[in-house]
Amino acid sequence: MSDPQDPVEALLMRMKPAPMSNDLMARLTAARPTAAPKRSRAWHILSRWVLPASAAACAALITVKVLDFSHEKKPAAVAISPAKAAGKSLPVIVQDHMLQAREMGVMVGPNRQPYKVMEYQWTEAETIVSGPNVPSVRLETTHRQIVPEELEIY
């Protein structure tokens, strides 16, 4: 807070700065930056709008592709397909039955993402229905598959 009656303030108000020497003025003038060359309008639009928009689109595309990648293969519940036998098509009934799903452990993948390793065992049963007077034929196959499942980290 300056007091108008203060004699120090009055002396400071009357003081004038000393003039700059010619040597200092020459050094300041030499150090002044020169004007940058003007960019074209097309480059300005490209660097301001097109490049960031294309980078964002590429990042979105990569994210969608990575998240859309599915590690799991689940067996089909029931599927019916005809089989060929002696020139006639016979109905085939395919059934999958889950026997066991067990966790084998956790591993860290090459992308430093943890994965839970699961072992799935199921039986695929194919039943060929020949006709009313012929007994049906059933073929069972046991499958085992080890599947890595990605763990979500927050």
Side-chain angles (χ1 to χ4, degrees), residues 43-153:
W43 176 251
H44 177 71
I45 291 173
L46 183 71
S47 66
R48 177 120 185 184
W49 297 104
V50 176
L51 291 178
S54 62
C58 287
L61 179 68
I62 289 171
T63 303
V64 167
K65 289 294 184 185
V66 167
L67 292 178
D68 192 32
F69 181 70
S70 176
H71 295 286
E72 298 178 15
K73 286 188 178 178
K74 295 184 181 174
V78 174
I80 300 176
S81 62
K84 299 271 184 181
K88 267 173 101 174
S89 67
L90 298 174
V92 175
I93 299 173
V94 178
Q95 295 176 326
D96 291 335
H97 301 284
M98 181 67 76
L99 297 176
Q100 180 182 12
R102 77 177 175 106
E103 184 176 338
M104 296 180 70
V106 177
M107 67 174 224
V108 177
N111 59 351
R112 301 183 62 91
Q113 175 72 29
Y115 292 93
K116 177 173 61 171
V117 180
M118 296 291 292
E119 176 187 23
Y120 295 107
Q121 290 182 350
W122 71 94
T123 301
E124 181 181 33
E126 297 175 346
T127 306
I128 302 172
V129 182
S130 303
N133 298 334
V134 180
S136 60
V137 178
R138 183 176 174 101
L139 174 67
E140 289 188 3
T141 308
T142 303
H143 297 279
R144 179 176 172 253
Q145 185 175 15
I146 297 174
V147 178
E149 295 178 358
E150 184 174 1
L151 293 175
E152 294 184 16
I153 297 178

